Amino acid sequence: VLDWGWAKFDVPHIVAITAARNAASRAMMERLGMAYVAGGDFDHHAFAADDPLRRIVTYRITRPRNA
């Protein structure tokens, strides 16, 4: 997916979000080389205030030089 993103879009970073409690998705992002963005957490407006999935974390990866 990252290779496709780099090929299709001339952007310096790719960003991904997931629920803070979604350990599997967070682990996958880290295996892909993405880094947690400190200060990038937010409450997603589409989830109710008491929904445990409301808190969102952000991960980012910088474009490799050869992409």
Side-chain angles (χ1 to χ4, degrees), residues 7-63:
K8 294 290 183 184
F9 302 101
D10 185 23
V11 294
H13 303 93
I14 290 179
V15 175
I17 62 171
T18 191
R21 65 183 292 157
N22 190 338
S25 288
R26 293 181 76 164
M28 173 60 74
M29 291 177 199
E30 291 173 9
R31 284 193 302 273
L32 290 171
M34 302 185 93
Y36 170 73
V37 177
D41 297 7
F42 64 96
D43 290 329
H44 199 292
H45 65 87
F47 292 93
D50 62 346
D51 191 315
L53 299 178
R54 182 176 174 91
R55 194 68 180 162
I56 301 297
V57 293
T58 304
Y59 281 74
R60 176 176 59 204
I61 190 168
T62 300
R63 176 185 285 277

